[in-house]
Amino acid sequence: MSMRTVRQPAVAGRFYPGRVEDLTRTVDTLLDRARRASTRSATPPKALIVPHAGYVYSGTTAALGYAQLFPGRRRITRVVLLGPAHYVPFSGLALPDATAFATPLGEVRVDRGVAGLLSALPQVHTSARAHAPEHSLEVQLPFLQRMLDGFALVPLVVGDATPQEVAAVLDAVWGGPETLLLISSDLSHYLPYDTAEAMDADTVRRILALEWPLPDGSACGARGINGLLVAASARGLTPVLVDRRNSGDTAGDRARVVGYASVAFGTGTTPGGDHDD
């Protein structure tokens, strides 16, 4: 049995508040506003795409996505979280060696049983190095900690992986209503506002039509999204756009923006920091 190891926060105090009181207030405010502003199905989505920038940039869009989980906050006990590798290049998908992930709000247990199951797949390996600096997973955890009553985490950084390789991982951990599939991704990066608007609108159109693969440069988490689109198509999930905007709409310069969207995937029709990437 492996020793207990905790993956420590890498971007607390930068992408999101580092003090527990400030972080709790920030996330709760975002979620409260989102719950009031959004229309939700009585059934939570099976899967979500949410952005992963600093909260000042993408927190509103992320919170609107997380608000869709409110009906299932007591039912969801496992979150399979996939985010792109921004810092360490590698092939396949990487699990951590950690037994828990820490944020200022406390620790989230890694589901080592499911991680062990995934380790049997040839495209999945363990890499503490891939996880240590990565923000794409970490920024999701405070939202999950405040939204869900309690959950175990299956965290995967996605490197160079095909849509089929990612879909096979999702299929292996699909589970039932207790399991949420969460894909962390921003959209276009550092384009002028109008150019980004057009590109992001096209990317979202493709996602809603379950068209894969997404064009290069359309989303930093495209590999995770592509895998979800393959799996969602096979499983009969219906995607619905929850929110789309960019950093020029929130806290950034319109000359060079990053795009964000939240998309919910359900079994029927559902109503609808210091970094900006």
Short mmCIF file of all heavy atoms in Angstrom, two decimals, residues 35 37 48 57 60 71 76 88 121 132 138 145 158 182 185 191-192 204-205 217 220 236 241 249 252 263 266-267 276:
data_model
loop_
_atom_site.label_atom_id
_atom_site.label_comp_id
_atom_site.label_asym_id
_atom_site.label_seq_id
_atom_site.Cartn_x
_atom_site.Cartn_y
_atom_site.Cartn_z
N ARG A 35 -26.74 30.41 -9.38
CA ARG A 35 -28.00 29.69 -9.11
C ARG A 35 -29.20 30.57 -9.37
O ARG A 35 -30.23 30.11 -9.86
CB ARG A 35 -28.01 29.16 -7.67
CG ARG A 35 -27.19 27.89 -7.49
CD ARG A 35 -27.60 27.17 -6.22
NE ARG A 35 -27.27 27.93 -5.03
CZ ARG A 35 -26.13 27.78 -4.34
NH1 ARG A 35 -25.21 26.94 -4.73
NH2 ARG A 35 -25.92 28.50 -3.25
N ALA A 37 -29.25 33.04 -11.53
CA ALA A 37 -29.28 33.46 -12.93
C ALA A 37 -29.59 32.33 -13.90
O ALA A 37 -29.99 32.59 -15.03
CB ALA A 37 -27.94 34.08 -13.31
N LEU A 48 -19.73 17.87 -17.65
CA LEU A 48 -19.63 19.33 -17.80
C LEU A 48 -18.29 19.68 -18.44
O LEU A 48 -17.26 19.07 -18.13
CB LEU A 48 -19.69 20.03 -16.44
CG LEU A 48 -21.00 20.34 -15.76
CD1 LEU A 48 -20.73 20.97 -14.40
CD2 LEU A 48 -21.85 21.29 -16.62
N TYR A 57 -11.46 36.22 -14.20
CA TYR A 57 -11.71 36.14 -15.63
C TYR A 57 -12.84 35.17 -15.97
O TYR A 57 -13.76 35.51 -16.70
CB TYR A 57 -10.44 35.72 -16.38
CG TYR A 57 -9.31 36.69 -16.23
CD1 TYR A 57 -8.23 36.42 -15.40
CD2 TYR A 57 -9.30 37.90 -16.94
CE1 TYR A 57 -7.18 37.32 -15.27
CE2 TYR A 57 -8.26 38.81 -16.82
CZ TYR A 57 -7.19 38.51 -15.97
OH TYR A 57 -6.17 39.40 -15.85
N THR A 60 -17.27 33.45 -13.37
CA THR A 60 -18.71 33.53 -13.61
C THR A 60 -19.18 32.40 -14.52
O THR A 60 -20.18 31.73 -14.26
CB THR A 60 -19.09 34.89 -14.21
OG1 THR A 60 -18.80 35.91 -13.26
CG2 THR A 60 -20.56 34.94 -14.59
N PRO A 71 -29.03 20.09 -8.23
CA PRO A 71 -29.97 19.00 -7.90
C PRO A 71 -29.28 17.70 -7.50
O PRO A 71 -29.90 16.84 -6.87
CB PRO A 71 -30.77 18.81 -9.20
CG PRO A 71 -30.57 20.06 -9.98
CD PRO A 71 -29.20 20.54 -9.62
N ILE A 76 -23.88 13.05 -6.17
CA ILE A 76 -22.57 12.93 -6.83
C ILE A 76 -21.49 12.72 -5.78
O ILE A 76 -21.25 13.59 -4.94
CB ILE A 76 -22.27 14.17 -7.68
CG1 ILE A 76 -23.30 14.32 -8.80
CG2 ILE A 76 -20.86 14.10 -8.27
CD1 ILE A 76 -23.27 15.67 -9.49
N VAL A 88 4.02 20.31 -18.77
CA VAL A 88 4.85 19.12 -18.94
C VAL A 88 4.31 18.32 -20.13
O VAL A 88 3.20 17.80 -20.07
CB VAL A 88 4.83 18.24 -17.67
CG1 VAL A 88 5.67 16.98 -17.87
CG2 VAL A 88 5.32 19.03 -16.46
N LEU A 121 -5.01 0.57 -18.26
CA LEU A 121 -5.13 0.99 -19.65
C LEU A 121 -3.77 1.47 -20.16
O LEU A 121 -3.06 2.19 -19.45
CB LEU A 121 -6.15 2.13 -19.78
CG LEU A 121 -7.60 1.80 -19.38
CD1 LEU A 121 -8.47 3.05 -19.46
CD2 LEU A 121 -8.16 0.70 -20.27
N ALA A 132 2.13 18.41 -10.59
CA ALA A 132 2.63 19.37 -9.59
C ALA A 132 2.35 20.83 -9.93
O ALA A 132 1.85 21.57 -9.07
CB ALA A 132 4.12 19.13 -9.35
N GLU A 138 -6.61 22.03 -10.62
CA GLU A 138 -6.67 22.64 -9.28
C GLU A 138 -7.76 23.69 -9.14
O GLU A 138 -8.46 23.72 -8.12
CB GLU A 138 -5.31 23.26 -8.96
CG GLU A 138 -5.26 23.95 -7.61
CD GLU A 138 -3.91 24.58 -7.32
OE1 GLU A 138 -2.88 24.07 -7.80
OE2 GLU A 138 -3.88 25.62 -6.63
N GLN A 145 -15.68 21.65 -3.97
CA GLN A 145 -15.73 21.55 -2.51
C GLN A 145 -16.92 22.32 -1.93
O GLN A 145 -17.49 21.90 -0.92
CB GLN A 145 -14.41 22.05 -1.91
CG GLN A 145 -13.25 21.08 -2.11
CD GLN A 145 -11.93 21.69 -1.69
OE1 GLN A 145 -11.49 22.70 -2.24
NE2 GLN A 145 -11.27 21.09 -0.72
N VAL A 158 -4.34 15.49 -19.22
CA VAL A 158 -4.38 14.94 -20.57
C VAL A 158 -3.21 15.49 -21.38
O VAL A 158 -3.09 16.71 -21.57
CB VAL A 158 -5.71 15.27 -21.27
CG1 VAL A 158 -5.76 14.62 -22.65
CG2 VAL A 158 -6.89 14.81 -20.41
N LEU A 182 -15.95 15.66 -15.67
CA LEU A 182 -15.69 17.10 -15.70
C LEU A 182 -14.47 17.36 -16.60
O LEU A 182 -13.38 16.86 -16.32
CB LEU A 182 -15.44 17.60 -14.29
CG LEU A 182 -15.39 19.10 -14.04
CD1 LEU A 182 -16.70 19.77 -14.42
CD2 LEU A 182 -15.07 19.37 -12.57
N SER A 185 -11.42 23.18 -19.65
CA SER A 185 -10.86 23.75 -20.89
C SER A 185 -11.28 25.20 -21.06
O SER A 185 -12.43 25.55 -20.83
CB SER A 185 -11.34 22.96 -22.11
OG SER A 185 -10.79 23.50 -23.30
N LEU A 191 -6.53 36.25 -28.86
CA LEU A 191 -6.97 36.84 -30.13
C LEU A 191 -7.69 38.16 -29.85
O LEU A 191 -8.18 38.39 -28.74
CB LEU A 191 -7.93 35.89 -30.85
CG LEU A 191 -7.36 34.53 -31.26
CD1 LEU A 191 -8.46 33.66 -31.84
CD2 LEU A 191 -6.21 34.69 -32.24
N PRO A 192 -7.80 39.03 -30.86
CA PRO A 192 -8.65 40.22 -30.69
C PRO A 192 -10.10 39.80 -30.42
O PRO A 192 -10.54 38.74 -30.87
CB PRO A 192 -8.52 40.94 -32.03
CG PRO A 192 -7.26 40.44 -32.63
CD PRO A 192 -7.11 39.02 -32.16
N VAL A 204 -18.11 26.24 -30.09
CA VAL A 204 -19.29 25.81 -29.33
C VAL A 204 -20.30 25.14 -30.25
O VAL A 204 -20.91 24.13 -29.88
CB VAL A 204 -19.91 27.00 -28.57
CG1 VAL A 204 -21.29 26.64 -28.03
CG2 VAL A 204 -18.98 27.43 -27.44
N ARG A 205 -20.48 25.67 -31.45
CA ARG A 205 -21.38 25.03 -32.41
C ARG A 205 -20.95 23.58 -32.67
O ARG A 205 -21.79 22.66 -32.70
CB ARG A 205 -21.39 25.80 -33.73
CG ARG A 205 -22.30 25.19 -34.79
CD ARG A 205 -22.04 25.77 -36.17
NE ARG A 205 -20.69 25.48 -36.66
CZ ARG A 205 -20.32 24.30 -37.14
NH1 ARG A 205 -21.18 23.29 -37.20
NH2 ARG A 205 -19.09 24.12 -37.57
N GLY A 217 -6.03 24.81 -31.93
CA GLY A 217 -6.05 26.17 -31.42
C GLY A 217 -7.40 26.66 -30.96
O GLY A 217 -7.52 27.79 -30.47
N CYS A 220 -7.76 24.90 -25.41
CA CYS A 220 -6.54 24.29 -24.85
C CYS A 220 -6.82 22.89 -24.32
O CYS A 220 -5.92 22.05 -24.27
CB CYS A 220 -5.94 25.17 -23.76
SG CYS A 220 -7.03 25.50 -22.38
N GLY A 236 -25.40 8.67 -26.08
CA GLY A 236 -26.66 9.38 -26.26
C GLY A 236 -26.84 10.60 -25.39
O GLY A 236 -27.97 10.99 -25.08
N LEU A 241 -25.46 24.50 -24.20
CA LEU A 241 -24.62 25.61 -23.79
C LEU A 241 -25.20 26.29 -22.56
O LEU A 241 -26.38 26.68 -22.57
CB LEU A 241 -24.48 26.63 -24.93
CG LEU A 241 -23.66 27.88 -24.61
CD1 LEU A 241 -22.20 27.54 -24.31
CD2 LEU A 241 -23.75 28.88 -25.76
N ASP A 249 -14.91 40.39 -21.72
CA ASP A 249 -16.21 40.65 -21.13
C ASP A 249 -16.12 40.79 -19.61
O ASP A 249 -17.06 41.29 -18.97
CB ASP A 249 -17.19 39.51 -21.43
CG ASP A 249 -17.46 39.33 -22.90
OD1 ASP A 249 -17.69 40.35 -23.59
OD2 ASP A 249 -17.44 38.17 -23.36
N GLY A 252 -10.46 41.66 -18.67
CA GLY A 252 -9.25 41.74 -19.48
C GLY A 252 -9.33 42.75 -20.61
O GLY A 252 -10.36 43.35 -20.90
N VAL A 263 -20.53 23.98 -20.80
CA VAL A 263 -21.47 23.16 -21.55
C VAL A 263 -21.85 21.96 -20.69
O VAL A 263 -20.98 21.29 -20.12
CB VAL A 263 -20.85 22.67 -22.88
CG1 VAL A 263 -21.87 21.85 -23.66
CG2 VAL A 263 -20.35 23.84 -23.71
N GLY A 266 -26.36 16.02 -20.76
CA GLY A 266 -27.34 15.22 -20.03
C GLY A 266 -27.96 14.17 -20.92
O GLY A 266 -27.69 14.09 -22.12
N THR A 267 -28.81 13.36 -20.31
CA THR A 267 -29.45 12.28 -21.05
C THR A 267 -30.70 12.75 -21.79
O THR A 267 -31.26 12.01 -22.59
CB THR A 267 -29.84 11.13 -20.11
OG1 THR A 267 -30.59 11.67 -19.02
CG2 THR A 267 -28.62 10.43 -19.58
N ASP A 276 -5.24 34.83 -17.24
CA ASP A 276 -6.51 34.72 -17.94
C ASP A 276 -6.53 33.52 -18.88
O ASP A 276 -7.30 33.46 -19.81
CB ASP A 276 -6.85 36.01 -18.71
CG ASP A 276 -5.79 36.38 -19.73
OD1 ASP A 276 -4.76 35.69 -19.81
OD2 ASP A 276 -5.99 37.37 -20.45
#
